[in-house]
Amino acid sequence: MSLLCWRGIQYFEITWADWESAARLGRRLVARGHHLPLSDLVVAAVALRLDAEVFTTDPHCELIDDVRPFSA
């Protein structure tokens, strides 16, 4: 896991495996009739890899199984 920091903002690099995971996730969702933006799929893939919560108000997050919304 590569944690980088830029002016106090932490972020993680996207790996090739994350892109592949996002593609698989996208195909599963399309099969269920949902077409999500690539950015949502990649964020979900990284969050799943890191077992991280996602801070978002995007309703697409609710369509992705196992992605946990941030809770304070």
Side-chain angles (χ1 to χ4, degrees):
M1 169 169 43
S2 175
L3 174 63
L4 304 174
C5 193
W6 178 70
R7 293 187 185 186
I9 299 173
Q10 296 178 350
Y11 65 95
F12 296 89
E13 290 190 22
I14 300 169
T15 66
W16 183 252
D18 294 328
W19 289 106
E20 291 174 326
S21 178
R24 284 190 302 275
L25 179 59
R27 286 191 296 270
R28 284 196 310 268
L29 289 167
V30 165
R32 292 180 2 202
H34 304 290
H35 298 268
L36 274 66
L38 179 59
S39 56
D40 291 352
L41 297 170
V42 172
V43 167
V46 172
L48 290 170
R49 172 174 55 94
L50 299 173
D51 192 32
E53 295 177 331
V54 177
F55 185 77
T56 182
T57 58
D58 189 335
H60 291 142
C61 186
E62 297 173 9
L63 299 172
I64 304 171
D65 297 333
D66 300 324
V67 170
R68 297 172 300 145
F70 174 78
S71 60

